[in-house]
């Protein structure tokens, strides 16, 4: 092949080779950028979990009418319309001598701070007067079992790594048990929170709840169980 032909062929393919090189370089740069961003997110990722084990607390019977901590009276008038106005509400003594007293230990085990923390109690099985009931989709539409009204604040809305907080109030299905019929509940917590980049996370963790209303000091006992990846992984352990 003559040198002149080689020159013409090179002029044809050189821009193509250059373009391919630019594309490959751009792809590697983009991949590196994504890896850097991913590492930054992982370095700031929070992870919330209750310390496992059983905790017992006093149940307080309060004639609070159709009200509930954290909800507007107008909303509760609608939600608790079937509750007798003089019925008791089951509460916690969360304020003692001017100090907030929490229940359970919720810790941030992650590398970064957690923001906008919300806790939802999700009941799956409920024993009423000793008889077991499954909380299915139809039951979930009842206010006392609905996620909307069983989403409760914890002691702190934001947690730095290794900081702790805890539960302030009982869930709505316990609060509204004015006939003191619930003896046991099996379900899980859904913890929802954000990281410093605005990414949203969920943690799921099982619980056993037992009531001892007939005791000299009425009690509620909660066992914080192991965590799991998503809601479909929850299972009932006898």
């Amino acid at each position: 092949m003559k040198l002149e032909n080689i020159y013409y062929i090179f002029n044809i393919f050189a821009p193509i080779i250059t373009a391919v090189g630019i594309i490959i370089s751009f792809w590697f740069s983009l991949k590196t950028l994504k890896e850097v961003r991913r590492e930054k997110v992982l370095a700031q990722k929070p992870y919330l979990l209750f310390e496992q084990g059983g905790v017992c607390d006093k149940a307080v019977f309060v004639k609070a009418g159709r009200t509930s901590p954290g909800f507007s009276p107008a909303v509760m008038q609608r939600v608790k319309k079937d509750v007798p106005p003089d019925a008791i509400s089951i509460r916690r003594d969360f304020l003692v001598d001017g100090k907030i007293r929490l229940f359970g230990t919720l810790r941030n085990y992650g590398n970064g701070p957690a923001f906008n923390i919300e806790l939802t109690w999700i009941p799956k099985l409920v024993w009423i007067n000793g008889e077991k009931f499954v909380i299915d989709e139809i039951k979930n539409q009842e206010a006392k079992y609905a996620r909307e009204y069983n989403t409760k604040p914890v002691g702190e809305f934001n947690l730095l790594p290794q900081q702790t907080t805890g539960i302030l109030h009982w869930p709505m299905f316990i609060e509204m048990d004015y006939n003191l019929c619930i003896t046991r509940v099996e379900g899980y917590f859904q913890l929802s929170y954000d990281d410093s980049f605005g990414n949203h996370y969920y943690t799921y963790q099982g619980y056993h709840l037992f009531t001892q209303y007939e005791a000299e000091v009425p009690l509620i006992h909660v066992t914080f169980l192991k965590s799991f990846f998503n809601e479909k992984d929850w299972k009932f352990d006898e």
Side-chain angles (χ1 to χ4, degrees):
M1 183 178 290
K2 294 182 179 180
L3 186 61
E4 184 180 356
N5 293 336
I6 294 174
Y7 174 77
Y8 284 125
I9 292 172
F10 178 79
N11 283 341
I12 292 171
F13 285 100
I16 298 174
I17 295 170
T18 302
V20 171
I22 292 171
I23 291 170
I24 292 172
S25 176
F26 177 75
W27 182 80
F28 275 111
S29 298
L30 187 62
K31 185 178 180 182
T32 301
L33 183 60
K34 286 181 178 179
E35 286 297 322
V36 169
R37 287 178 177 173
R38 182 173 176 272
E39 287 176 4
K40 284 184 178 180
V41 169
L42 289 175
Q44 291 296 312
K45 184 178 179 179
Y47 181 64
L48 301 187
L49 198 68
F50 283 104
E51 291 183 1
Q52 293 186 35
V55 186
C56 211
D57 199 23
K58 179 182 176 183
V60 181
F61 304 143
V62 180
K63 287 191 175 182
R66 293 168 181 158
T67 64
S68 180
F71 295 99
S72 73
V75 170
M76 285 299 103
Q77 282 293 327
R78 174 172 54 81
V79 170
K80 294 187 174 185
K81 65 182 186 299
D82 297 326
V83 174
D86 60 345
I88 62 168
S89 182
I90 302 173
R91 304 284 176 89
R92 288 192 64 245
D93 272 336
F94 69 92
L95 195 61
V96 178
D97 297 329
K99 296 182 179 180
I100 293 177
R101 190 177 62 86
L102 302 174
F103 180 77
T105 303
L106 177 62
R107 184 181 299 275
N108 180 3
Y109 290 95
N111 298 318
F115 301 97
N116 308 316
I117 301 168
E118 286 189 335
L119 169 68
T120 304
W121 296 70
I122 299 171
K124 299 295 287 183
L125 300 168
V126 175
W127 281 255
I128 298 177
N129 293 325
E131 185 177 355
K132 183 171 72 173
F133 294 89
V134 176
I135 307 303
D136 55 17
E137 290 303 315
I138 296 174
K139 277 285 185 184
N140 278 328
Q141 294 175 19
E142 297 180 20
K144 63 183 176 182
Y145 297 122
R147 296 192 182 203
E148 179 181 359
Y149 303 114
N150 281 292
T151 298
K152 298 283 187 172
V154 291
E156 299 288 342
F157 287 105
N158 308 318
L159 279 182
L160 294 174
Q162 295 307 314
Q163 278 191 336
T164 63
T165 187
I167 293 168
L168 278 171
H169 308 294
W170 297 126
M172 188 65 75
F173 54 83
I174 290 295
E175 183 183 317
M176 289 181 64
D177 185 29
Y178 61 89
N179 286 325
L180 306 181
C181 294
I182 292 178
T183 56
R184 177 181 174 183
V185 182
E186 299 288 334
Y188 57 90
F189 300 108
Q190 176 185 276
L191 288 153
S192 110
Y193 45 98
D194 302 322
D195 67 11
S196 54
F197 298 106
N199 298 307
H200 196 66
Y201 301 95
Y202 292 102
T203 302
Y204 300 99
Q205 184 172 6
Y207 68 80
H208 301 317
L209 183 149
F210 296 90
T211 65
Q212 296 175 311
Y213 297 138
E214 73 287 350
E216 184 176 348
V217 176
L219 299 172
I220 293 177
H221 185 279
V222 177
T223 301
F224 299 90
L225 306 173
K226 63 183 179 181
S227 63
F228 47 91
F229 185 69
N230 63 48
E231 295 181 85
K232 293 180 180 179
D233 294 331
W234 179 84
K235 62 180 181 179
F236 170 53
D237 294 322
E238 285 283 1

